[in-house]
Amino acid sequence: MYGGGTTFDGAGADTVASEDPGRLQAFEARIALGEKIEPTDWMPALYRRQLIRMIEQHAHSEIIGALPEGTWITRAPGFKRKLSLMAKVQDEVGHAQLLYSAAETLGKTREEMITDLISGKSKYSNIFNYPAYTWADACFISWLVDAGAIVNQLANAKGSYGPYCRALERICAEESFHLKYGHHCVIYLAAGTPQQRAMFQEALNRWWQPMMHFFGPADKLSDHTRILMKWKVKMATNDAMRNQFLDMYVPKILELGFTIPDPKLAKNPGTGVWNYTEPDWEEFKRVIQGDGPCNRERLEVRRIAEARGRWVREALRSPRAVYSMPLA
Ligand code: BYC
């Protein structure tokens, strides 16, 4: 188990045993019919908790995800790349706003979510805890991390919770621009000098394993998939999403002449399932529990941003108080 100790089969707090059976049955019937559940509808407490957990982690991933690419805005090669990257990073922060709003409909405030992020209580995507050393690392994120996100989000946009699905639909529209931008950046490197090609190959070597981790633990290790799929919050398992990403993007990476750093990677033509070297799940566990190469730095940046923006939030809440604040 990787998570905060939730169990769905036992008699712990995270079961539906205490729910009214009639209401639960009606709720599950609506989901089976493909209806959307809206914030004021009845829902099991576990559905609410699971959605808050997942949407909140997704929102955190968007604002923390803005950091590794954000550091490349001033160093992106050329004015047009700077403009495009700036727009992309702004979009990612906007996605966090949409997702925090969706999570708030379930009863957790934005302040509580931010507090849980900067205290280290809440998780966010593993992949943003790795450093973006070179421009090619930023290109990897814009192309392939966004590609992975689209695979996940297009599927889950057809899920059961209305506010999350609507946020995902809008996010996917913007992500498709990011994907095109990222692909263009990588094609440019691929068609460039041997040094530019080598730079992207090195980025691919560094980011491949975190990318495999991005879709979550192997199904047999996943704590939450079963209940989330039953209630159509997740529309495919972690392994199925990983497989779909490999199906769509391995050919595109190979077509640019790069080598994927996994000698076992091959598609079984009979089953359509990709075989690959099992990613190091111990490393995944360490990273999502706070001990990756950049976790401390990422959270520190958020803490500083939170402290610097406090006066703005206080001013919005109580404009008069601002006049009596000492100048910083
Ligand atoms: N990273 O039972 P499981 C972007 C945790 S941002 C960290 O399989 P679940 C972008 C999991 O939370 C978009 N932790 O979980 C932004 C759980 O721990 P807890 C990112 C992970 O929820 C800027 C435990 O492991 N996309 O694209 O059924 C620039 C057990 O896992 C991860 C999303 O956030 C991970 N990768 O499935 C560029 C998508 N995987 O909570 C790009 C929304 C697992 O029990 N989220 N864990 O303590 C999801 O679809 C699902 O939450 C996951 C995991 C598929 C990620």
Side-chain angles (χ1 to χ4, degrees), residues 194-229:
Q195 205 182 354
Q196 284 171 309
R197 292 184 57 79
M199 195 165 73
F200 187 74
Q201 183 62 57
E202 283 161 21
L204 185 60
N205 297 349
R206 277 194 287 278
W207 289 79
W208 188 251
Q209 175 160 279
M211 190 71 232
M212 294 293 279
H213 286 154
F214 177 81
F215 299 92
D219 291 351
K220 59 179 186 289
L221 302 172
S222 167
D223 299 323
H224 306 297
T225 296
R226 190 181 63 79
I227 192 75
L228 289 178
M229 289 205 53

PDB file of all heavy atoms in Angstrom, residues 194-229:
ATOM      1  N   PRO A 194      23.956  17.022 -33.844  1.00  0.00           N
ATOM      2  CA  PRO A 194      24.139  15.826 -33.006  1.00  0.00           C
ATOM      3  C   PRO A 194      24.051  16.173 -31.512  1.00  0.00           C
ATOM      4  O   PRO A 194      23.514  15.396 -30.718  1.00  0.00           O
ATOM      5  CB  PRO A 194      25.548  15.353 -33.388  1.00  0.00           C
ATOM      6  CG  PRO A 194      25.777  15.890 -34.776  1.00  0.00           C
ATOM      7  CD  PRO A 194      25.023  17.174 -34.849  1.00  0.00           C
ATOM      8  N   GLN A 195      24.502  17.360 -31.163  1.00  0.00           N
ATOM      9  CA  GLN A 195      24.450  17.761 -29.750  1.00  0.00           C
ATOM     10  C   GLN A 195      22.993  17.933 -29.277  1.00  0.00           C
ATOM     11  O   GLN A 195      22.631  17.536 -28.169  1.00  0.00           O
ATOM     12  CB  GLN A 195      25.194  19.085 -29.619  1.00  0.00           C
ATOM     13  CG  GLN A 195      25.741  19.339 -28.232  1.00  0.00           C
ATOM     14  CD  GLN A 195      26.434  20.713 -28.189  1.00  0.00           C
ATOM     15  OE1 GLN A 195      26.578  21.381 -29.225  1.00  0.00           O
ATOM     16  NE2 GLN A 195      26.847  21.099 -27.008  1.00  0.00           N
ATOM     17  N   GLN A 196      22.157  18.518 -30.134  1.00  0.00           N
ATOM     18  CA  GLN A 196      20.738  18.693 -29.765  1.00  0.00           C
ATOM     19  C   GLN A 196      20.035  17.337 -29.646  1.00  0.00           C
ATOM     20  O   GLN A 196      19.249  17.107 -28.736  1.00  0.00           O
ATOM     21  CB  GLN A 196      20.029  19.572 -30.810  1.00  0.00           C
ATOM     22  CG  GLN A 196      20.376  21.045 -30.662  1.00  0.00           C
ATOM     23  CD  GLN A 196      19.846  21.874 -31.814  1.00  0.00           C
ATOM     24  OE1 GLN A 196      20.064  21.536 -32.986  1.00  0.00           O
ATOM     25  NE2 GLN A 196      19.149  22.945 -31.511  1.00  0.00           N
ATOM     26  N   ARG A 197      20.351  16.420 -30.579  1.00  0.00           N
ATOM     27  CA  ARG A 197      19.749  15.074 -30.512  1.00  0.00           C
ATOM     28  C   ARG A 197      20.185  14.371 -29.226  1.00  0.00           C
ATOM     29  O   ARG A 197      19.378  13.744 -28.542  1.00  0.00           O
ATOM     30  CB  ARG A 197      20.164  14.226 -31.727  1.00  0.00           C
ATOM     31  CG  ARG A 197      19.567  14.714 -33.051  1.00  0.00           C
ATOM     32  CD  ARG A 197      19.937  13.757 -34.190  1.00  0.00           C
ATOM     33  NE  ARG A 197      19.490  12.398 -33.887  1.00  0.00           N
ATOM     34  CZ  ARG A 197      18.237  11.976 -34.029  1.00  0.00           C
ATOM     35  NH1 ARG A 197      17.325  12.789 -34.503  1.00  0.00           N
ATOM     36  NH2 ARG A 197      17.914  10.748 -33.724  1.00  0.00           N
ATOM     37  N   ALA A 198      21.486  14.513 -28.917  1.00  0.00           N
ATOM     38  CA  ALA A 198      22.002  13.848 -27.715  1.00  0.00           C
ATOM     39  C   ALA A 198      21.344  14.417 -26.465  1.00  0.00           C
ATOM     40  O   ALA A 198      21.038  13.688 -25.512  1.00  0.00           O
ATOM     41  CB  ALA A 198      23.521  14.018 -27.641  1.00  0.00           C
ATOM     42  N   MET A 199      21.072  15.715 -26.510  1.00  0.00           N
ATOM     43  CA  MET A 199      20.459  16.372 -25.349  1.00  0.00           C
ATOM     44  C   MET A 199      19.065  15.786 -25.091  1.00  0.00           C
ATOM     45  O   MET A 199      18.690  15.502 -23.959  1.00  0.00           O
ATOM     46  CB  MET A 199      20.374  17.872 -25.628  1.00  0.00           C
ATOM     47  CG  MET A 199      20.107  18.701 -24.418  1.00  0.00           C
ATOM     48  SD  MET A 199      20.452  20.457 -24.717  1.00  0.00           S
ATOM     49  CE  MET A 199      19.109  20.920 -25.749  1.00  0.00           C
ATOM     50  N   PHE A 200      18.287  15.562 -26.172  1.00  0.00           N
ATOM     51  CA  PHE A 200      16.956  14.993 -25.951  1.00  0.00           C
ATOM     52  C   PHE A 200      17.059  13.522 -25.543  1.00  0.00           C
ATOM     53  O   PHE A 200      16.310  13.061 -24.679  1.00  0.00           O
ATOM     54  CB  PHE A 200      16.021  15.145 -27.158  1.00  0.00           C
ATOM     55  CG  PHE A 200      14.626  14.689 -26.782  1.00  0.00           C
ATOM     56  CD1 PHE A 200      13.831  15.476 -25.965  1.00  0.00           C
ATOM     57  CD2 PHE A 200      14.142  13.446 -27.167  1.00  0.00           C
ATOM     58  CE1 PHE A 200      12.574  15.042 -25.538  1.00  0.00           C
ATOM     59  CE2 PHE A 200      12.884  12.999 -26.752  1.00  0.00           C
ATOM     60  CZ  PHE A 200      12.100  13.803 -25.938  1.00  0.00           C
ATOM     61  N   GLN A 201      18.014  12.795 -26.142  1.00  0.00           N
ATOM     62  CA  GLN A 201      18.172  11.384 -25.759  1.00  0.00           C
ATOM     63  C   GLN A 201      18.477  11.272 -24.256  1.00  0.00           C
ATOM     64  O   GLN A 201      17.927  10.424 -23.561  1.00  0.00           O
ATOM     65  CB  GLN A 201      19.294  10.723 -26.590  1.00  0.00           C
ATOM     66  CG  GLN A 201      19.473   9.236 -26.296  1.00  0.00           C
ATOM     67  CD  GLN A 201      18.231   8.396 -26.623  1.00  0.00           C
ATOM     68  OE1 GLN A 201      17.760   8.406 -27.752  1.00  0.00           O
ATOM     69  NE2 GLN A 201      17.682   7.697 -25.627  1.00  0.00           N
ATOM     70  N   GLU A 202      19.348  12.177 -23.770  1.00  0.00           N
ATOM     71  CA  GLU A 202      19.674  12.136 -22.333  1.00  0.00           C
ATOM     72  C   GLU A 202      18.445  12.448 -21.482  1.00  0.00           C
ATOM     73  O   GLU A 202      18.228  11.831 -20.439  1.00  0.00           O
ATOM     74  CB  GLU A 202      20.790  13.138 -22.012  1.00  0.00           C
ATOM     75  CG  GLU A 202      22.166  12.629 -22.425  1.00  0.00           C
ATOM     76  CD  GLU A 202      23.206  13.741 -22.546  1.00  0.00           C
ATOM     77  OE1 GLU A 202      23.004  14.818 -21.948  1.00  0.00           O
ATOM     78  OE2 GLU A 202      24.202  13.523 -23.256  1.00  0.00           O
ATOM     79  N   ALA A 203      17.642  13.414 -21.951  1.00  0.00           N
ATOM     80  CA  ALA A 203      16.413  13.745 -21.206  1.00  0.00           C
ATOM     81  C   ALA A 203      15.480  12.523 -21.173  1.00  0.00           C
ATOM     82  O   ALA A 203      14.919  12.175 -20.129  1.00  0.00           O
ATOM     83  CB  ALA A 203      15.720  14.939 -21.845  1.00  0.00           C
ATOM     84  N   LEU A 204      15.355  11.855 -22.320  1.00  0.00           N
ATOM     85  CA  LEU A 204      14.502  10.663 -22.407  1.00  0.00           C
ATOM     86  C   LEU A 204      14.998   9.584 -21.428  1.00  0.00           C
ATOM     87  O   LEU A 204      14.197   8.947 -20.723  1.00  0.00           O
ATOM     88  CB  LEU A 204      14.533  10.162 -23.853  1.00  0.00           C
ATOM     89  CG  LEU A 204      13.651   9.008 -24.271  1.00  0.00           C
ATOM     90  CD1 LEU A 204      12.184   9.342 -24.050  1.00  0.00           C
ATOM     91  CD2 LEU A 204      13.858   8.685 -25.766  1.00  0.00           C
ATOM     92  N   ASN A 205      16.314   9.423 -21.363  1.00  0.00           N
ATOM     93  CA  ASN A 205      16.880   8.418 -20.450  1.00  0.00           C
ATOM     94  C   ASN A 205      16.548   8.763 -18.997  1.00  0.00           C
ATOM     95  O   ASN A 205      16.216   7.898 -18.200  1.00  0.00           O
ATOM     96  CB  ASN A 205      18.400   8.333 -20.601  1.00  0.00           C
ATOM     97  CG  ASN A 205      18.810   7.873 -21.990  1.00  0.00           C
ATOM     98  OD1 ASN A 205      17.970   7.419 -22.777  1.00  0.00           O
ATOM     99  ND2 ASN A 205      20.086   8.006 -22.318  1.00  0.00           N
ATOM    100  N   ARG A 206      16.634  10.051 -18.672  1.00  0.00           N
ATOM    101  CA  ARG A 206      16.376  10.466 -17.281  1.00  0.00           C
ATOM    102  C   ARG A 206      14.905  10.334 -16.912  1.00  0.00           C
ATOM    103  O   ARG A 206      14.553  10.004 -15.798  1.00  0.00           O
ATOM    104  CB  ARG A 206      16.743  11.949 -17.094  1.00  0.00           C
ATOM    105  CG  ARG A 206      18.190  12.223 -16.828  1.00  0.00           C
ATOM    106  CD  ARG A 206      18.383  13.655 -16.314  1.00  0.00           C
ATOM    107  NE  ARG A 206      18.221  14.660 -17.335  1.00  0.00           N
ATOM    108  CZ  ARG A 206      19.165  15.022 -18.200  1.00  0.00           C
ATOM    109  NH1 ARG A 206      20.337  14.450 -18.155  1.00  0.00           N
ATOM    110  NH2 ARG A 206      18.936  15.956 -19.093  1.00  0.00           N
ATOM    111  N   TRP A 207      14.002  10.674 -17.860  1.00  0.00           N
ATOM    112  CA  TRP A 207      12.585  10.824 -17.504  1.00  0.00           C
ATOM    113  C   TRP A 207      11.740   9.583 -17.761  1.00  0.00           C
ATOM    114  O   TRP A 207      10.566   9.550 -17.415  1.00  0.00           O
ATOM    115  CB  TRP A 207      11.985  12.025 -18.266  1.00  0.00           C
ATOM    116  CG  TRP A 207      12.504  13.322 -17.737  1.00  0.00           C
ATOM    117  CD1 TRP A 207      13.712  13.894 -18.013  1.00  0.00           C
ATOM    118  CD2 TRP A 207      11.865  14.197 -16.792  1.00  0.00           C
ATOM    119  NE1 TRP A 207      13.843  15.076 -17.317  1.00  0.00           N
ATOM    120  CE2 TRP A 207      12.733  15.278 -16.560  1.00  0.00           C
ATOM    121  CE3 TRP A 207      10.636  14.173 -16.128  1.00  0.00           C
ATOM    122  CZ2 TRP A 207      12.424  16.327 -15.692  1.00  0.00           C
ATOM    123  CZ3 TRP A 207      10.321  15.218 -15.270  1.00  0.00           C
ATOM    124  CH2 TRP A 207      11.212  16.277 -15.050  1.00  0.00           C
ATOM    125  N   TRP A 208      12.340   8.553 -18.424  1.00  0.00           N
ATOM    126  CA  TRP A 208      11.494   7.425 -18.821  1.00  0.00           C
ATOM    127  C   TRP A 208      10.868   6.727 -17.611  1.00  0.00           C
ATOM    128  O   TRP A 208       9.659   6.464 -17.570  1.00  0.00           O
ATOM    129  CB  TRP A 208      12.263   6.428 -19.703  1.00  0.00           C
ATOM    130  CG  TRP A 208      11.327   5.397 -20.262  1.00  0.00           C
ATOM    131  CD1 TRP A 208      11.248   4.085 -19.913  1.00  0.00           C
ATOM    132  CD2 TRP A 208      10.304   5.613 -21.249  1.00  0.00           C
ATOM    133  NE1 TRP A 208      10.249   3.463 -20.619  1.00  0.00           N
ATOM    134  CE2 TRP A 208       9.640   4.388 -21.448  1.00  0.00           C
ATOM    135  CE3 TRP A 208       9.864   6.726 -21.979  1.00  0.00           C
ATOM    136  CZ2 TRP A 208       8.584   4.234 -22.350  1.00  0.00           C
ATOM    137  CZ3 TRP A 208       8.811   6.577 -22.875  1.00  0.00           C
ATOM    138  CH2 TRP A 208       8.183   5.346 -23.042  1.00  0.00           C
ATOM    139  N   GLN A 209      11.691   6.424 -16.604  1.00  0.00           N
ATOM    140  CA  GLN A 209      11.110   5.705 -15.456  1.00  0.00           C
ATOM    141  C   GLN A 209      10.063   6.549 -14.716  1.00  0.00           C
ATOM    142  O   GLN A 209       8.959   6.047 -14.443  1.00  0.00           O
ATOM    143  CB  GLN A 209      12.187   5.198 -14.497  1.00  0.00           C
ATOM    144  CG  GLN A 209      11.539   4.556 -13.264  1.00  0.00           C
ATOM    145  CD  GLN A 209      12.419   3.627 -12.507  1.00  0.00           C
ATOM    146  OE1 GLN A 209      12.583   2.474 -12.893  1.00  0.00           O
ATOM    147  NE2 GLN A 209      12.986   4.124 -11.432  1.00  0.00           N
ATOM    148  N   PRO A 210      10.373   7.838 -14.384  1.00  0.00           N
ATOM    149  CA  PRO A 210       9.299   8.640 -13.757  1.00  0.00           C
ATOM    150  C   PRO A 210       8.028   8.692 -14.614  1.00  0.00           C
ATOM    151  O   PRO A 210       6.914   8.740 -14.075  1.00  0.00           O
ATOM    152  CB  PRO A 210       9.933  10.039 -13.635  1.00  0.00           C
ATOM    153  CG  PRO A 210      11.411   9.808 -13.621  1.00  0.00           C
ATOM    154  CD  PRO A 210      11.668   8.564 -14.430  1.00  0.00           C
ATOM    155  N   MET A 211       8.185   8.643 -15.943  1.00  0.00           N
ATOM    156  CA  MET A 211       7.007   8.659 -16.834  1.00  0.00           C
ATOM    157  C   MET A 211       6.207   7.362 -16.676  1.00  0.00           C
ATOM    158  O   MET A 211       4.968   7.380 -16.681  1.00  0.00           O
ATOM    159  CB  MET A 211       7.508   8.826 -18.279  1.00  0.00           C
ATOM    160  CG  MET A 211       6.445   9.087 -19.290  1.00  0.00           C
ATOM    161  SD  MET A 211       5.745  10.742 -19.129  1.00  0.00           S
ATOM    162  CE  MET A 211       3.997  10.372 -19.053  1.00  0.00           C
ATOM    163  N   MET A 212       6.914   6.248 -16.536  1.00  0.00           N
ATOM    164  CA  MET A 212       6.208   4.974 -16.331  1.00  0.00           C
ATOM    165  C   MET A 212       5.492   4.987 -14.969  1.00  0.00           C
ATOM    166  O   MET A 212       4.398   4.442 -14.808  1.00  0.00           O
ATOM    167  CB  MET A 212       7.198   3.805 -16.405  1.00  0.00           C
ATOM    168  CG  MET A 212       7.820   3.621 -17.775  1.00  0.00           C
ATOM    169  SD  MET A 212       6.611   3.101 -19.007  1.00  0.00           S
ATOM    170  CE  MET A 212       6.530   1.357 -18.655  1.00  0.00           C
ATOM    171  N   HIS A 213       6.135   5.634 -13.982  1.00  0.00           N
ATOM    172  CA  HIS A 213       5.500   5.752 -12.657  1.00  0.00           C
ATOM    173  C   HIS A 213       4.257   6.646 -12.681  1.00  0.00           C
ATOM    174  O   HIS A 213       3.365   6.500 -11.856  1.00  0.00           O
ATOM    175  CB  HIS A 213       6.481   6.400 -11.663  1.00  0.00           C
ATOM    176  CG  HIS A 213       7.592   5.502 -11.213  1.00  0.00           C
ATOM    177  ND1 HIS A 213       8.808   5.998 -10.776  1.00  0.00           N
ATOM    178  CD2 HIS A 213       7.686   4.156 -11.101  1.00  0.00           C
ATOM    179  CE1 HIS A 213       9.594   4.996 -10.424  1.00  0.00           C
ATOM    180  NE2 HIS A 213       8.942   3.864 -10.613  1.00  0.00           N
ATOM    181  N   PHE A 214       4.259   7.634 -13.599  1.00  0.00           N
ATOM    182  CA  PHE A 214       3.239   8.691 -13.638  1.00  0.00           C
ATOM    183  C   PHE A 214       1.805   8.137 -13.610  1.00  0.00           C
ATOM    184  O   PHE A 214       0.897   8.743 -13.051  1.00  0.00           O
ATOM    185  CB  PHE A 214       3.476   9.507 -14.921  1.00  0.00           C
ATOM    186  CG  PHE A 214       2.501  10.615 -15.202  1.00  0.00           C
ATOM    187  CD1 PHE A 214       2.626  11.845 -14.571  1.00  0.00           C
ATOM    188  CD2 PHE A 214       1.463  10.452 -16.132  1.00  0.00           C
ATOM    189  CE1 PHE A 214       1.746  12.883 -14.855  1.00  0.00           C
ATOM    190  CE2 PHE A 214       0.579  11.483 -16.415  1.00  0.00           C
ATOM    191  CZ  PHE A 214       0.723  12.697 -15.777  1.00  0.00           C
ATOM    192  N   PHE A 215       1.604   6.966 -14.227  1.00  0.00           N
ATOM    193  CA  PHE A 215       0.237   6.416 -14.331  1.00  0.00           C
ATOM    194  C   PHE A 215      -0.198   5.693 -13.052  1.00  0.00           C
ATOM    195  O   PHE A 215      -1.292   5.139 -12.997  1.00  0.00           O
ATOM    196  CB  PHE A 215       0.144   5.483 -15.555  1.00  0.00           C
ATOM    197  CG  PHE A 215       0.436   6.226 -16.830  1.00  0.00           C
ATOM    198  CD1 PHE A 215       1.724   6.285 -17.340  1.00  0.00           C
ATOM    199  CD2 PHE A 215      -0.564   6.928 -17.470  1.00  0.00           C
ATOM    200  CE1 PHE A 215       2.002   7.011 -18.494  1.00  0.00           C
ATOM    201  CE2 PHE A 215      -0.294   7.669 -18.615  1.00  0.00           C
ATOM    202  CZ  PHE A 215       0.997   7.713 -19.122  1.00  0.00           C
ATOM    203  N   GLY A 216       0.672   5.707 -12.051  1.00  0.00           N
ATOM    204  CA  GLY A 216       0.321   5.086 -10.776  1.00  0.00           C
ATOM    205  C   GLY A 216       0.854   3.673 -10.689  1.00  0.00           C
ATOM    206  O   GLY A 216       1.306   3.095 -11.688  1.00  0.00           O
ATOM    207  N   PRO A 217       0.816   3.086  -9.469  1.00  0.00           N
ATOM    208  CA  PRO A 217       1.374   1.754  -9.264  1.00  0.00           C
ATOM    209  C   PRO A 217       0.688   0.703 -10.142  1.00  0.00           C
ATOM    210  O   PRO A 217      -0.452   0.891 -10.564  1.00  0.00           O
ATOM    211  CB  PRO A 217       1.120   1.484  -7.780  1.00  0.00           C
ATOM    212  CG  PRO A 217       0.089   2.456  -7.363  1.00  0.00           C
ATOM    213  CD  PRO A 217       0.209   3.639  -8.255  1.00  0.00           C
ATOM    214  N   ALA A 218       1.397  -0.389 -10.386  1.00  0.00           N
ATOM    215  CA  ALA A 218       0.806  -1.513 -11.131  1.00  0.00           C
ATOM    216  C   ALA A 218      -0.538  -1.873 -10.495  1.00  0.00           C
ATOM    217  O   ALA A 218      -0.701  -1.749  -9.275  1.00  0.00           O
ATOM    218  CB  ALA A 218       1.770  -2.693 -11.073  1.00  0.00           C
ATOM    219  N   ASP A 219      -1.468  -2.310 -11.318  1.00  0.00           N
ATOM    220  CA  ASP A 219      -2.827  -2.563 -10.816  1.00  0.00           C
ATOM    221  C   ASP A 219      -2.835  -3.438  -9.562  1.00  0.00           C
ATOM    222  O   ASP A 219      -3.618  -3.209  -8.643  1.00  0.00           O
ATOM    223  CB  ASP A 219      -3.682  -3.221 -11.911  1.00  0.00           C
ATOM    224  CG  ASP A 219      -3.987  -2.244 -13.049  1.00  0.00           C
ATOM    225  OD1 ASP A 219      -3.680  -1.042 -12.892  1.00  0.00           O
ATOM    226  OD2 ASP A 219      -4.510  -2.688 -14.091  1.00  0.00           O
ATOM    227  N   LYS A 220      -1.935  -4.420  -9.541  1.00  0.00           N
ATOM    228  CA  LYS A 220      -1.967  -5.335  -8.384  1.00  0.00           C
ATOM    229  C   LYS A 220      -1.531  -4.620  -7.086  1.00  0.00           C
ATOM    230  O   LYS A 220      -1.769  -5.119  -5.995  1.00  0.00           O
ATOM    231  CB  LYS A 220      -1.105  -6.585  -8.657  1.00  0.00           C
ATOM    232  CG  LYS A 220       0.354  -6.316  -8.952  1.00  0.00           C
ATOM    233  CD  LYS A 220       1.102  -7.641  -9.179  1.00  0.00           C
ATOM    234  CE  LYS A 220       2.599  -7.455  -9.348  1.00  0.00           C
ATOM    235  NZ  LYS A 220       3.020  -6.837 -10.593  1.00  0.00           N
ATOM    236  N   LEU A 221      -0.887  -3.442  -7.223  1.00  0.00           N
ATOM    237  CA  LEU A 221      -0.442  -2.700  -6.036  1.00  0.00           C
ATOM    238  C   LEU A 221      -1.336  -1.489  -5.737  1.00  0.00           C
ATOM    239  O   LEU A 221      -1.120  -0.782  -4.757  1.00  0.00           O
ATOM    240  CB  LEU A 221       0.993  -2.196  -6.243  1.00  0.00           C
ATOM    241  CG  LEU A 221       2.076  -3.230  -6.542  1.00  0.00           C
ATOM    242  CD1 LEU A 221       3.382  -2.546  -6.907  1.00  0.00           C
ATOM    243  CD2 LEU A 221       2.274  -4.144  -5.345  1.00  0.00           C
ATOM    244  N   SER A 222      -2.310  -1.219  -6.603  1.00  0.00           N
ATOM    245  CA  SER A 222      -3.097   0.015  -6.475  1.00  0.00           C
ATOM    246  C   SER A 222      -4.164  -0.127  -5.382  1.00  0.00           C
ATOM    247  O   SER A 222      -4.956  -1.057  -5.383  1.00  0.00           O
ATOM    248  CB  SER A 222      -3.758   0.322  -7.820  1.00  0.00           C
ATOM    249  OG  SER A 222      -4.736   1.311  -7.666  1.00  0.00           O
ATOM    250  N   ASP A 223      -4.170   0.839  -4.455  1.00  0.00           N
ATOM    251  CA  ASP A 223      -5.135   0.786  -3.342  1.00  0.00           C
ATOM    252  C   ASP A 223      -6.555   1.142  -3.779  1.00  0.00           C
ATOM    253  O   ASP A 223      -7.521   0.595  -3.277  1.00  0.00           O
ATOM    254  CB  ASP A 223      -4.742   1.818  -2.263  1.00  0.00           C
ATOM    255  CG  ASP A 223      -3.373   1.553  -1.665  1.00  0.00           C
ATOM    256  OD1 ASP A 223      -3.040   0.371  -1.503  1.00  0.00           O
ATOM    257  OD2 ASP A 223      -2.656   2.525  -1.357  1.00  0.00           O
ATOM    258  N   HIS A 224      -6.660   2.124  -4.668  1.00  0.00           N
ATOM    259  CA  HIS A 224      -7.962   2.766  -4.866  1.00  0.00           C
ATOM    260  C   HIS A 224      -8.686   2.401  -6.158  1.00  0.00           C
ATOM    261  O   HIS A 224      -9.862   2.733  -6.318  1.00  0.00           O
ATOM    262  CB  HIS A 224      -7.788   4.291  -4.852  1.00  0.00           C
ATOM    263  CG  HIS A 224      -7.082   4.807  -3.634  1.00  0.00           C
ATOM    264  ND1 HIS A 224      -7.583   4.674  -2.366  1.00  0.00           N
ATOM    265  CD2 HIS A 224      -5.889   5.454  -3.494  1.00  0.00           C
ATOM    266  CE1 HIS A 224      -6.741   5.221  -1.494  1.00  0.00           C
ATOM    267  NE2 HIS A 224      -5.703   5.688  -2.152  1.00  0.00           N
ATOM    268  N   THR A 225      -7.965   1.742  -7.078  1.00  0.00           N
ATOM    269  CA  THR A 225      -8.548   1.568  -8.420  1.00  0.00           C
ATOM    270  C   THR A 225      -9.907   0.862  -8.400  1.00  0.00           C
ATOM    271  O   THR A 225     -10.839   1.281  -9.092  1.00  0.00           O
ATOM    272  CB  THR A 225      -7.567   0.806  -9.335  1.00  0.00           C
ATOM    273  OG1 THR A 225      -6.402   1.607  -9.494  1.00  0.00           O
ATOM    274  CG2 THR A 225      -8.164   0.526 -10.698  1.00  0.00           C
ATOM    275  N   ARG A 226     -10.015  -0.187  -7.589  1.00  0.00           N
ATOM    276  CA  ARG A 226     -11.226  -1.003  -7.678  1.00  0.00           C
ATOM    277  C   ARG A 226     -12.482  -0.164  -7.393  1.00  0.00           C
ATOM    278  O   ARG A 226     -13.413  -0.129  -8.204  1.00  0.00           O
ATOM    279  CB  ARG A 226     -11.140  -2.186  -6.701  1.00  0.00           C
ATOM    280  CG  ARG A 226     -12.231  -3.223  -6.899  1.00  0.00           C
ATOM    281  CD  ARG A 226     -12.114  -4.354  -5.901  1.00  0.00           C
ATOM    282  NE  ARG A 226     -12.289  -3.911  -4.520  1.00  0.00           N
ATOM    283  CZ  ARG A 226     -13.471  -3.668  -3.954  1.00  0.00           C
ATOM    284  NH1 ARG A 226     -14.583  -3.816  -4.645  1.00  0.00           N
ATOM    285  NH2 ARG A 226     -13.537  -3.282  -2.695  1.00  0.00           N
ATOM    286  N   ILE A 227     -12.459   0.555  -6.270  1.00  0.00           N
ATOM    287  CA  ILE A 227     -13.664   1.326  -5.917  1.00  0.00           C
ATOM    288  C   ILE A 227     -13.858   2.510  -6.879  1.00  0.00           C
ATOM    289  O   ILE A 227     -14.977   2.853  -7.245  1.00  0.00           O
ATOM    290  CB  ILE A 227     -13.630   1.780  -4.430  1.00  0.00           C
ATOM    291  CG1 ILE A 227     -14.995   2.307  -3.975  1.00  0.00           C
ATOM    292  CG2 ILE A 227     -12.589   2.847  -4.166  1.00  0.00           C
ATOM    293  CD1 ILE A 227     -16.001   1.237  -3.739  1.00  0.00           C
ATOM    294  N   LEU A 228     -12.744   3.108  -7.315  1.00  0.00           N
ATOM    295  CA  LEU A 228     -12.872   4.270  -8.209  1.00  0.00           C
ATOM    296  C   LEU A 228     -13.419   3.855  -9.569  1.00  0.00           C
ATOM    297  O   LEU A 228     -14.148   4.614 -10.212  1.00  0.00           O
ATOM    298  CB  LEU A 228     -11.527   4.982  -8.362  1.00  0.00           C
ATOM    299  CG  LEU A 228     -11.044   5.747  -7.126  1.00  0.00           C
ATOM    300  CD1 LEU A 228      -9.670   6.369  -7.369  1.00  0.00           C
ATOM    301  CD2 LEU A 228     -12.029   6.842  -6.745  1.00  0.00           C
ATOM    302  N   MET A 229     -13.086   2.655 -10.003  1.00  0.00           N
ATOM    303  CA  MET A 229     -13.631   2.197 -11.286  1.00  0.00           C
ATOM    304  C   MET A 229     -15.081   1.794 -11.135  1.00  0.00           C
ATOM    305  O   MET A 229     -15.909   2.045 -12.008  1.00  0.00           O
ATOM    306  CB  MET A 229     -12.779   1.066 -11.851  1.00  0.00           C
ATOM    307  CG  MET A 229     -11.448   1.639 -12.320  1.00  0.00           C
ATOM    308  SD  MET A 229     -10.618   0.716 -13.565  1.00  0.00           S
ATOM    309  CE  MET A 229     -11.788   0.489 -14.850  1.00  0.00           C
TER     310      MET A 229
END
